[in-house]
Amino acid sequence: MVQSKDSEPNTARIPVGVVGAGTMGAGVAQCFAAAGHPVVVVDPDPAARASGPQRLRAGIRAARLLRRRDPGAAEERVSWAADPAALSDALFVVDCAPERLPVKEAIFRALDRACPADAVFASCTSAIPIGHLGSFTGRPANVIGTHFMNPAPLKDTVEVATSTSTGADTVRRTLDLLAGLDKKAIVVGDGPGFVSNRVLMLTVNEAAAVVEAGTADADTVDRVFKDCFGHATGPLRTADLIGLDTVVDTLVVLREFTGDDRFRPTPLLSKLVAEGSVGRKAGRGFHPYPSHRSSIDPSRPAGADSHV
């Protein structure tokens, strides 16, 4: 279901929280701050908090160069904190943490303790069912999926996932907020990977298997999708943009929740991640990106700096 434009959304400015100061967290924070919302970004990792403002400034520069929504004083509206207690006033919180179930559980339990009773908890999870995340809180009706695409400030559409427990008021508030960000929402039901990643991750995994088998190299695989199917980019270059570490994490979650061995990461994917060749952000993945300096901190867990 695509969000209806029949009624004027409520676009009042409210305190917003973002959990995770990596690529997706900084991008989501920029989206809300550019729309006038005060934003607190929480990340326990000092290195992530130290580099977060740089990611935010880079995103703001890109938005201006591409003549997207004028970010205005977005940077001044964003603050950074280590503890979820800093979100005690937040009425809408977006989880952008790595795609690891124990990490997500700890976050949602902490948010449940820290945030107002009527706060909405939205998750940028790539694949974990929203009903499962809601079970970590005492307010499953307030939990919803907001699957922003990367880079969040430059993507116009958000996949919104609702569980059977998600309340109608939570959906309305979420759609209103997204409309205020100039985002279109496509509402889907709950399930591992929702629509986008249930399909995309299997495609990426099979494309990697084709390369591993020697049927075609990465360039050729991507050319088939571009030239034969008319896709803007191929699955392997898309995976490089997402981050191969995040792709592997998402595949692991999909296999855990579906029991389907087709989601087992191919040996080639696992090898590239182990080598640090995790895609565009590292300057190398399935394809080389010589103009991109590595932004990977070896002390941070894989998947901490990106999101699909």
mmCIF file with all atom_site columns, all heavy atoms in Angstrom, residues 65-90:
data_model
loop_
_atom_site.group_PDB
_atom_site.id
_atom_site.type_symbol
_atom_site.label_atom_id
_atom_site.label_alt_id
_atom_site.label_comp_id
_atom_site.label_asym_id
_atom_site.label_entity_id
_atom_site.label_seq_id
_atom_site.pdbx_PDB_ins_code
_atom_site.Cartn_x
_atom_site.Cartn_y
_atom_site.Cartn_z
_atom_site.occupancy
_atom_site.B_iso_or_equiv
_atom_site.pdbx_formal_charge
_atom_site.auth_seq_id
_atom_site.auth_comp_id
_atom_site.auth_asym_id
_atom_site.auth_atom_id
_atom_site.pdbx_PDB_model_num
ATOM 1   N N   . LEU A 1 65 ? 24.582 20.075 -3.154  1.00 0.00 ? 65 LEU A N   1
ATOM 2   C CA  . LEU A 1 65 ? 25.116 19.955 -4.498  1.00 0.00 ? 65 LEU A CA  1
ATOM 3   C C   . LEU A 1 65 ? 24.086 19.371 -5.465  1.00 0.00 ? 65 LEU A C   1
ATOM 4   O O   . LEU A 1 65 ? 24.028 19.757 -6.635  1.00 0.00 ? 65 LEU A O   1
ATOM 5   C CB  . LEU A 1 65 ? 26.372 19.068 -4.483  1.00 0.00 ? 65 LEU A CB  1
ATOM 6   C CG  . LEU A 1 65 ? 27.641 19.713 -3.929  1.00 0.00 ? 65 LEU A CG  1
ATOM 7   C CD1 . LEU A 1 65 ? 28.738 18.663 -3.763  1.00 0.00 ? 65 LEU A CD1 1
ATOM 8   C CD2 . LEU A 1 65 ? 28.126 20.832 -4.856  1.00 0.00 ? 65 LEU A CD2 1
ATOM 9   N N   . LEU A 1 66 ? 23.297 18.434 -4.960  1.00 0.00 ? 66 LEU A N   1
ATOM 10  C CA  . LEU A 1 66 ? 22.297 17.779 -5.806  1.00 0.00 ? 66 LEU A CA  1
ATOM 11  C C   . LEU A 1 66 ? 20.960 18.504 -5.789  1.00 0.00 ? 66 LEU A C   1
ATOM 12  O O   . LEU A 1 66 ? 19.987 18.036 -6.353  1.00 0.00 ? 66 LEU A O   1
ATOM 13  C CB  . LEU A 1 66 ? 22.119 16.323 -5.357  1.00 0.00 ? 66 LEU A CB  1
ATOM 14  C CG  . LEU A 1 66 ? 23.365 15.453 -5.544  1.00 0.00 ? 66 LEU A CG  1
ATOM 15  C CD1 . LEU A 1 66 ? 23.181 14.097 -4.881  1.00 0.00 ? 66 LEU A CD1 1
ATOM 16  C CD2 . LEU A 1 66 ? 23.673 15.272 -7.026  1.00 0.00 ? 66 LEU A CD2 1
ATOM 17  N N   . ARG A 1 67 ? 20.943 19.644 -5.082  1.00 0.00 ? 67 ARG A N   1
ATOM 18  C CA  . ARG A 1 67 ? 19.758 20.497 -5.015  1.00 0.00 ? 67 ARG A CA  1
ATOM 19  C C   . ARG A 1 67 ? 18.543 19.733 -4.497  1.00 0.00 ? 67 ARG A C   1
ATOM 20  O O   . ARG A 1 67 ? 17.429 19.878 -4.986  1.00 0.00 ? 67 ARG A O   1
ATOM 21  C CB  . ARG A 1 67 ? 19.453 21.106 -6.388  1.00 0.00 ? 67 ARG A CB  1
ATOM 22  C CG  . ARG A 1 67 ? 20.554 22.039 -6.856  1.00 0.00 ? 67 ARG A CG  1
ATOM 23  C CD  . ARG A 1 67 ? 20.268 22.632 -8.207  1.00 0.00 ? 67 ARG A CD  1
ATOM 24  N NE  . ARG A 1 67 ? 21.357 23.531 -8.611  1.00 0.00 ? 67 ARG A NE  1
ATOM 25  C CZ  . ARG A 1 67 ? 21.433 24.116 -9.792  1.00 0.00 ? 67 ARG A CZ  1
ATOM 26  N NH1 . ARG A 1 67 ? 20.489 23.901 -10.691 1.00 0.00 ? 67 ARG A NH1 1
ATOM 27  N NH2 . ARG A 1 67 ? 22.442 24.904 -10.078 1.00 0.00 ? 67 ARG A NH2 1
ATOM 28  N N   . ARG A 1 68 ? 18.795 18.910 -3.500  1.00 0.00 ? 68 ARG A N   1
ATOM 29  C CA  . ARG A 1 68 ? 17.705 18.242 -2.806  1.00 0.00 ? 68 ARG A CA  1
ATOM 30  C C   . ARG A 1 68 ? 17.101 19.234 -1.823  1.00 0.00 ? 68 ARG A C   1
ATOM 31  O O   . ARG A 1 68 ? 17.406 20.429 -1.864  1.00 0.00 ? 68 ARG A O   1
ATOM 32  C CB  . ARG A 1 68 ? 18.226 17.003 -2.067  1.00 0.00 ? 68 ARG A CB  1
ATOM 33  C CG  . ARG A 1 68 ? 19.000 16.047 -2.937  1.00 0.00 ? 68 ARG A CG  1
ATOM 34  C CD  . ARG A 1 68 ? 18.151 15.345 -3.949  1.00 0.00 ? 68 ARG A CD  1
ATOM 35  N NE  . ARG A 1 68 ? 17.276 14.368 -3.324  1.00 0.00 ? 68 ARG A NE  1
ATOM 36  C CZ  . ARG A 1 68 ? 16.576 13.453 -3.974  1.00 0.00 ? 68 ARG A CZ  1
ATOM 37  N NH1 . ARG A 1 68 ? 16.625 13.398 -5.285  1.00 0.00 ? 68 ARG A NH1 1
ATOM 38  N NH2 . ARG A 1 68 ? 15.801 12.607 -3.335  1.00 0.00 ? 68 ARG A NH2 1
ATOM 39  N N   . ARG A 1 69 ? 16.258 18.754 -0.920  1.00 0.00 ? 69 ARG A N   1
ATOM 40  C CA  . ARG A 1 69 ? 15.662 19.639 0.066   1.00 0.00 ? 69 ARG A CA  1
ATOM 41  C C   . ARG A 1 69 ? 16.752 20.438 0.794   1.00 0.00 ? 69 ARG A C   1
ATOM 42  O O   . ARG A 1 69 ? 17.733 19.877 1.268   1.00 0.00 ? 69 ARG A O   1
ATOM 43  C CB  . ARG A 1 69 ? 14.869 18.805 1.072   1.00 0.00 ? 69 ARG A CB  1
ATOM 44  C CG  . ARG A 1 69 ? 14.221 19.622 2.171   1.00 0.00 ? 69 ARG A CG  1
ATOM 45  C CD  . ARG A 1 69 ? 13.429 18.705 3.086   1.00 0.00 ? 69 ARG A CD  1
ATOM 46  N NE  . ARG A 1 69 ? 12.592 19.511 3.979   1.00 0.00 ? 69 ARG A NE  1
ATOM 47  C CZ  . ARG A 1 69 ? 11.433 19.097 4.443   1.00 0.00 ? 69 ARG A CZ  1
ATOM 48  N NH1 . ARG A 1 69 ? 10.959 17.925 4.100   1.00 0.00 ? 69 ARG A NH1 1
ATOM 49  N NH2 . ARG A 1 69 ? 10.722 19.860 5.234   1.00 0.00 ? 69 ARG A NH2 1
ATOM 50  N N   . ASP A 1 70 ? 16.564 21.769 0.879   1.00 0.00 ? 70 ASP A N   1
ATOM 51  C CA  . ASP A 1 70 ? 17.544 22.618 1.547   1.00 0.00 ? 70 ASP A CA  1
ATOM 52  C C   . ASP A 1 70 ? 17.655 22.199 3.010   1.00 0.00 ? 70 ASP A C   1
ATOM 53  O O   . ASP A 1 70 ? 16.676 22.295 3.764   1.00 0.00 ? 70 ASP A O   1
ATOM 54  C CB  . ASP A 1 70 ? 17.128 24.078 1.450   1.00 0.00 ? 70 ASP A CB  1
ATOM 55  C CG  . ASP A 1 70 ? 18.179 25.019 2.038   1.00 0.00 ? 70 ASP A CG  1
ATOM 56  O OD1 . ASP A 1 70 ? 19.188 24.523 2.566   1.00 0.00 ? 70 ASP A OD1 1
ATOM 57  O OD2 . ASP A 1 70 ? 17.976 26.246 1.972   1.00 0.00 ? 70 ASP A OD2 1
ATOM 58  N N   . PRO A 1 71 ? 18.835 21.711 3.441   1.00 0.00 ? 71 PRO A N   1
ATOM 59  C CA  . PRO A 1 71 ? 18.972 21.251 4.828   1.00 0.00 ? 71 PRO A CA  1
ATOM 60  C C   . PRO A 1 71 ? 18.964 22.377 5.850   1.00 0.00 ? 71 PRO A C   1
ATOM 61  O O   . PRO A 1 71 ? 18.833 22.127 7.044   1.00 0.00 ? 71 PRO A O   1
ATOM 62  C CB  . PRO A 1 71 ? 20.308 20.515 4.823   1.00 0.00 ? 71 PRO A CB  1
ATOM 63  C CG  . PRO A 1 71 ? 21.071 21.101 3.693   1.00 0.00 ? 71 PRO A CG  1
ATOM 64  C CD  . PRO A 1 71 ? 20.063 21.514 2.662   1.00 0.00 ? 71 PRO A CD  1
ATOM 65  N N   . GLY A 1 72 ? 19.111 23.609 5.381   1.00 0.00 ? 72 GLY A N   1
ATOM 66  C CA  . GLY A 1 72 ? 19.071 24.738 6.312   1.00 0.00 ? 72 GLY A CA  1
ATOM 67  C C   . GLY A 1 72 ? 20.083 24.574 7.426   1.00 0.00 ? 72 GLY A C   1
ATOM 68  O O   . GLY A 1 72 ? 21.259 24.299 7.198   1.00 0.00 ? 72 GLY A O   1
ATOM 69  N N   . ALA A 1 73 ? 19.608 24.741 8.667   1.00 0.00 ? 73 ALA A N   1
ATOM 70  C CA  . ALA A 1 73 ? 20.486 24.632 9.841   1.00 0.00 ? 73 ALA A CA  1
ATOM 71  C C   . ALA A 1 73 ? 20.455 23.225 10.424  1.00 0.00 ? 73 ALA A C   1
ATOM 72  O O   . ALA A 1 73 ? 20.488 23.046 11.642  1.00 0.00 ? 73 ALA A O   1
ATOM 73  C CB  . ALA A 1 73 ? 20.070 25.659 10.891  1.00 0.00 ? 73 ALA A CB  1
ATOM 74  N N   . ALA A 1 74 ? 20.402 22.219 9.560   1.00 0.00 ? 74 ALA A N   1
ATOM 75  C CA  . ALA A 1 74 ? 20.245 20.836 10.019  1.00 0.00 ? 74 ALA A CA  1
ATOM 76  C C   . ALA A 1 74 ? 21.329 20.431 11.009  1.00 0.00 ? 74 ALA A C   1
ATOM 77  O O   . ALA A 1 74 ? 21.043 19.783 12.028  1.00 0.00 ? 74 ALA A O   1
ATOM 78  C CB  . ALA A 1 74 ? 20.246 19.888 8.821   1.00 0.00 ? 74 ALA A CB  1
ATOM 79  N N   . GLU A 1 75 ? 22.565 20.803 10.732  1.00 0.00 ? 75 GLU A N   1
ATOM 80  C CA  . GLU A 1 75 ? 23.663 20.374 11.608  1.00 0.00 ? 75 GLU A CA  1
ATOM 81  C C   . GLU A 1 75 ? 23.470 20.884 13.030  1.00 0.00 ? 75 GLU A C   1
ATOM 82  O O   . GLU A 1 75 ? 23.787 20.185 14.002  1.00 0.00 ? 75 GLU A O   1
ATOM 83  C CB  . GLU A 1 75 ? 24.998 20.858 11.050  1.00 0.00 ? 75 GLU A CB  1
ATOM 84  C CG  . GLU A 1 75 ? 26.195 20.296 11.796  1.00 0.00 ? 75 GLU A CG  1
ATOM 85  C CD  . GLU A 1 75 ? 27.512 20.692 11.184  1.00 0.00 ? 75 GLU A CD  1
ATOM 86  O OE1 . GLU A 1 75 ? 27.516 21.315 10.106  1.00 0.00 ? 75 GLU A OE1 1
ATOM 87  O OE2 . GLU A 1 75 ? 28.558 20.377 11.788  1.00 0.00 ? 75 GLU A OE2 1
ATOM 88  N N   . GLU A 1 76 ? 22.948 22.089 13.171  1.00 0.00 ? 76 GLU A N   1
ATOM 89  C CA  . GLU A 1 76 ? 22.753 22.675 14.499  1.00 0.00 ? 76 GLU A CA  1
ATOM 90  C C   . GLU A 1 76 ? 21.632 21.984 15.272  1.00 0.00 ? 76 GLU A C   1
ATOM 91  O O   . GLU A 1 76 ? 21.568 22.103 16.500  1.00 0.00 ? 76 GLU A O   1
ATOM 92  C CB  . GLU A 1 76 ? 22.427 24.169 14.363  1.00 0.00 ? 76 GLU A CB  1
ATOM 93  C CG  . GLU A 1 76 ? 23.536 24.974 13.710  1.00 0.00 ? 76 GLU A CG  1
ATOM 94  C CD  . GLU A 1 76 ? 23.093 26.389 13.379  1.00 0.00 ? 76 GLU A CD  1
ATOM 95  O OE1 . GLU A 1 76 ? 22.011 26.803 13.860  1.00 0.00 ? 76 GLU A OE1 1
ATOM 96  O OE2 . GLU A 1 76 ? 23.820 27.078 12.638  1.00 0.00 ? 76 GLU A OE2 1
ATOM 97  N N   . ARG A 1 77 ? 20.765 21.281 14.576  1.00 0.00 ? 77 ARG A N   1
ATOM 98  C CA  . ARG A 1 77 ? 19.630 20.615 15.243  1.00 0.00 ? 77 ARG A CA  1
ATOM 99  C C   . ARG A 1 77 ? 19.987 19.210 15.726  1.00 0.00 ? 77 ARG A C   1
ATOM 100 O O   . ARG A 1 77 ? 19.146 18.550 16.347  1.00 0.00 ? 77 ARG A O   1
ATOM 101 C CB  . ARG A 1 77 ? 18.435 20.532 14.293  1.00 0.00 ? 77 ARG A CB  1
ATOM 102 C CG  . ARG A 1 77 ? 17.908 21.885 13.837  1.00 0.00 ? 77 ARG A CG  1
ATOM 103 C CD  . ARG A 1 77 ? 16.588 21.741 13.088  1.00 0.00 ? 77 ARG A CD  1
ATOM 104 N NE  . ARG A 1 77 ? 16.202 23.015 12.515  1.00 0.00 ? 77 ARG A NE  1
ATOM 105 C CZ  . ARG A 1 77 ? 16.325 23.333 11.224  1.00 0.00 ? 77 ARG A CZ  1
ATOM 106 N NH1 . ARG A 1 77 ? 16.814 22.433 10.368  1.00 0.00 ? 77 ARG A NH1 1
ATOM 107 N NH2 . ARG A 1 77 ? 15.973 24.512 10.777  1.00 0.00 ? 77 ARG A NH2 1
ATOM 108 N N   . VAL A 1 78 ? 21.185 18.739 15.425  1.00 0.00 ? 78 VAL A N   1
ATOM 109 C CA  . VAL A 1 78 ? 21.576 17.368 15.774  1.00 0.00 ? 78 VAL A CA  1
ATOM 110 C C   . VAL A 1 78 ? 22.589 17.400 16.916  1.00 0.00 ? 78 VAL A C   1
ATOM 111 O O   . VAL A 1 78 ? 23.593 18.106 16.853  1.00 0.00 ? 78 VAL A O   1
ATOM 112 C CB  . VAL A 1 78 ? 22.182 16.637 14.562  1.00 0.00 ? 78 VAL A CB  1
ATOM 113 C CG1 . VAL A 1 78 ? 22.590 15.209 14.959  1.00 0.00 ? 78 VAL A CG1 1
ATOM 114 C CG2 . VAL A 1 78 ? 21.185 16.606 13.405  1.00 0.00 ? 78 VAL A CG2 1
ATOM 115 N N   . SER A 1 79 ? 22.316 16.627 17.965  1.00 0.00 ? 79 SER A N   1
ATOM 116 C CA  . SER A 1 79 ? 23.263 16.446 19.057  1.00 0.00 ? 79 SER A CA  1
ATOM 117 C C   . SER A 1 79 ? 23.594 14.960 19.180  1.00 0.00 ? 79 SER A C   1
ATOM 118 O O   . SER A 1 79 ? 22.895 14.108 18.640  1.00 0.00 ? 79 SER A O   1
ATOM 119 C CB  . SER A 1 79 ? 22.696 16.994 20.373  1.00 0.00 ? 79 SER A CB  1
ATOM 120 O OG  . SER A 1 79 ? 21.479 16.354 20.700  1.00 0.00 ? 79 SER A OG  1
ATOM 121 N N   . TRP A 1 80 ? 24.661 14.667 19.904  1.00 0.00 ? 80 TRP A N   1
ATOM 122 C CA  . TRP A 1 80 ? 25.210 13.304 19.952  1.00 0.00 ? 80 TRP A CA  1
ATOM 123 C C   . TRP A 1 80 ? 25.357 12.877 21.406  1.00 0.00 ? 80 TRP A C   1
ATOM 124 O O   . TRP A 1 80 ? 25.757 13.666 22.257  1.00 0.00 ? 80 TRP A O   1
ATOM 125 C CB  . TRP A 1 80 ? 26.558 13.258 19.233  1.00 0.00 ? 80 TRP A CB  1
ATOM 126 C CG  . TRP A 1 80 ? 26.480 13.871 17.867  1.00 0.00 ? 80 TRP A CG  1
ATOM 127 C CD1 . TRP A 1 80 ? 26.537 15.208 17.562  1.00 0.00 ? 80 TRP A CD1 1
ATOM 128 C CD2 . TRP A 1 80 ? 26.268 13.198 16.626  1.00 0.00 ? 80 TRP A CD2 1
ATOM 129 N NE1 . TRP A 1 80 ? 26.389 15.400 16.212  1.00 0.00 ? 80 TRP A NE1 1
ATOM 130 C CE2 . TRP A 1 80 ? 26.220 14.184 15.602  1.00 0.00 ? 80 TRP A CE2 1
ATOM 131 C CE3 . TRP A 1 80 ? 26.129 11.850 16.269  1.00 0.00 ? 80 TRP A CE3 1
ATOM 132 C CZ2 . TRP A 1 80 ? 26.044 13.869 14.263  1.00 0.00 ? 80 TRP A CZ2 1
ATOM 133 C CZ3 . TRP A 1 80 ? 25.949 11.537 14.930  1.00 0.00 ? 80 TRP A CZ3 1
ATOM 134 C CH2 . TRP A 1 80 ? 25.904 12.527 13.945  1.00 0.00 ? 80 TRP A CH2 1
ATOM 135 N N   . ALA A 1 81 ? 25.022 11.620 21.697  1.00 0.00 ? 81 ALA A N   1
ATOM 136 C CA  . ALA A 1 81 ? 25.062 11.128 23.079  1.00 0.00 ? 81 ALA A CA  1
ATOM 137 C C   . ALA A 1 81 ? 25.462 9.660  23.092  1.00 0.00 ? 81 ALA A C   1
ATOM 138 O O   . ALA A 1 81 ? 25.354 8.949  22.085  1.00 0.00 ? 81 ALA A O   1
ATOM 139 C CB  . ALA A 1 81 ? 23.701 11.315 23.744  1.00 0.00 ? 81 ALA A CB  1
ATOM 140 N N   . ALA A 1 82 ? 25.898 9.204  24.265  1.00 0.00 ? 82 ALA A N   1
ATOM 141 C CA  . ALA A 1 82 ? 26.344 7.816  24.424  1.00 0.00 ? 82 ALA A CA  1
ATOM 142 C C   . ALA A 1 82 ? 25.265 6.907  24.988  1.00 0.00 ? 82 ALA A C   1
ATOM 143 O O   . ALA A 1 82 ? 25.279 5.693  24.755  1.00 0.00 ? 82 ALA A O   1
ATOM 144 C CB  . ALA A 1 82 ? 27.577 7.766  25.330  1.00 0.00 ? 82 ALA A CB  1
ATOM 145 N N   . ASP A 1 83 ? 24.320 7.479  25.734  1.00 0.00 ? 83 ASP A N   1
ATOM 146 C CA  . ASP A 1 83 ? 23.375 6.675  26.517  1.00 0.00 ? 83 ASP A CA  1
ATOM 147 C C   . ASP A 1 83 ? 21.941 6.895  26.035  1.00 0.00 ? 83 ASP A C   1
ATOM 148 O O   . ASP A 1 83 ? 21.542 8.036  25.797  1.00 0.00 ? 83 ASP A O   1
ATOM 149 C CB  . ASP A 1 83 ? 23.484 7.086  27.989  1.00 0.00 ? 83 ASP A CB  1
ATOM 150 C CG  . ASP A 1 83 ? 22.844 6.084  28.923  1.00 0.00 ? 83 ASP A CG  1
ATOM 151 O OD1 . ASP A 1 83 ? 21.668 5.742  28.712  1.00 0.00 ? 83 ASP A OD1 1
ATOM 152 O OD2 . ASP A 1 83 ? 23.518 5.651  29.880  1.00 0.00 ? 83 ASP A OD2 1
ATOM 153 N N   . PRO A 1 84 ? 21.151 5.819  25.913  1.00 0.00 ? 84 PRO A N   1
ATOM 154 C CA  . PRO A 1 84 ? 19.748 5.977  25.531  1.00 0.00 ? 84 PRO A CA  1
ATOM 155 C C   . PRO A 1 84 ? 18.942 6.872  26.473  1.00 0.00 ? 84 PRO A C   1
ATOM 156 O O   . PRO A 1 84 ? 17.882 7.373  26.098  1.00 0.00 ? 84 PRO A O   1
ATOM 157 C CB  . PRO A 1 84 ? 19.204 4.538  25.558  1.00 0.00 ? 84 PRO A CB  1
ATOM 158 C CG  . PRO A 1 84 ? 20.401 3.684  25.325  1.00 0.00 ? 84 PRO A CG  1
ATOM 159 C CD  . PRO A 1 84 ? 21.543 4.396  26.003  1.00 0.00 ? 84 PRO A CD  1
ATOM 160 N N   . ALA A 1 85 ? 19.455 7.089  27.686  1.00 0.00 ? 85 ALA A N   1
ATOM 161 C CA  . ALA A 1 85 ? 18.759 7.998  28.604  1.00 0.00 ? 85 ALA A CA  1
ATOM 162 C C   . ALA A 1 85 ? 18.624 9.394  28.016  1.00 0.00 ? 85 ALA A C   1
ATOM 163 O O   . ALA A 1 85 ? 17.733 10.160 28.403  1.00 0.00 ? 85 ALA A O   1
ATOM 164 C CB  . ALA A 1 85 ? 19.512 8.062  29.935  1.00 0.00 ? 85 ALA A CB  1
ATOM 165 N N   . ALA A 1 86 ? 19.485 9.739  27.054  1.00 0.00 ? 86 ALA A N   1
ATOM 166 C CA  . ALA A 1 86 ? 19.404 11.045 26.393  1.00 0.00 ? 86 ALA A CA  1
ATOM 167 C C   . ALA A 1 86 ? 18.150 11.177 25.536  1.00 0.00 ? 86 ALA A C   1
ATOM 168 O O   . ALA A 1 86 ? 17.835 12.272 25.068  1.00 0.00 ? 86 ALA A O   1
ATOM 169 C CB  . ALA A 1 86 ? 20.645 11.267 25.535  1.00 0.00 ? 86 ALA A CB  1
ATOM 170 N N   . LEU A 1 87 ? 17.432 10.073 25.348  1.00 0.00 ? 87 LEU A N   1
ATOM 171 C CA  . LEU A 1 87 ? 16.216 10.089 24.531  1.00 0.00 ? 87 LEU A CA  1
ATOM 172 C C   . LEU A 1 87 ? 14.957 10.157 25.388  1.00 0.00 ? 87 LEU A C   1
ATOM 173 O O   . LEU A 1 87 ? 13.867 9.806  24.934  1.00 0.00 ? 87 LEU A O   1
ATOM 174 C CB  . LEU A 1 87 ? 16.174 8.837  23.644  1.00 0.00 ? 87 LEU A CB  1
ATOM 175 C CG  . LEU A 1 87 ? 17.374 8.652  22.707  1.00 0.00 ? 87 LEU A CG  1
ATOM 176 C CD1 . LEU A 1 87 ? 17.247 7.359  21.910  1.00 0.00 ? 87 LEU A CD1 1
ATOM 177 C CD2 . LEU A 1 87 ? 17.519 9.845  21.769  1.00 0.00 ? 87 LEU A CD2 1
ATOM 178 N N   . SER A 1 88 ? 15.090 10.654 26.603  1.00 0.00 ? 88 SER A N   1
ATOM 179 C CA  . SER A 1 88 ? 13.956 10.666 27.537  1.00 0.00 ? 88 SER A CA  1
ATOM 180 C C   . SER A 1 88 ? 12.806 11.551 27.067  1.00 0.00 ? 88 SER A C   1
ATOM 181 O O   . SER A 1 88 ? 11.674 11.384 27.517  1.00 0.00 ? 88 SER A O   1
ATOM 182 C CB  . SER A 1 88 ? 14.418 11.120 28.924  1.00 0.00 ? 88 SER A CB  1
ATOM 183 O OG  . SER A 1 88 ? 14.984 12.426 28.860  1.00 0.00 ? 88 SER A OG  1
ATOM 184 N N   . ASP A 1 89 ? 13.080 12.495 26.145  1.00 0.00 ? 89 ASP A N   1
ATOM 185 C CA  . ASP A 1 89 ? 12.026 13.363 25.622  1.00 0.00 ? 89 ASP A CA  1
ATOM 186 C C   . ASP A 1 89 ? 11.598 12.990 24.204  1.00 0.00 ? 89 ASP A C   1
ATOM 187 O O   . ASP A 1 89 ? 10.660 13.598 23.667  1.00 0.00 ? 89 ASP A O   1
ATOM 188 C CB  . ASP A 1 89 ? 12.486 14.825 25.620  1.00 0.00 ? 89 ASP A CB  1
ATOM 189 C CG  . ASP A 1 89 ? 12.710 15.366 27.027  1.00 0.00 ? 89 ASP A CG  1
ATOM 190 O OD1 . ASP A 1 89 ? 11.976 14.930 27.941  1.00 0.00 ? 89 ASP A OD1 1
ATOM 191 O OD2 . ASP A 1 89 ? 13.604 16.210 27.193  1.00 0.00 ? 89 ASP A OD2 1
ATOM 192 N N   . ALA A 1 90 ? 12.269 12.031 23.591  1.00 0.00 ? 90 ALA A N   1
ATOM 193 C CA  . ALA A 1 90 ? 12.009 11.718 22.185  1.00 0.00 ? 90 ALA A CA  1
ATOM 194 C C   . ALA A 1 90 ? 10.638 11.071 22.010  1.00 0.00 ? 90 ALA A C   1
ATOM 195 O O   . ALA A 1 90 ? 10.285 10.139 22.727  1.00 0.00 ? 90 ALA A O   1
ATOM 196 C CB  . ALA A 1 90 ? 13.095 10.797 21.650  1.00 0.00 ? 90 ALA A CB  1
#
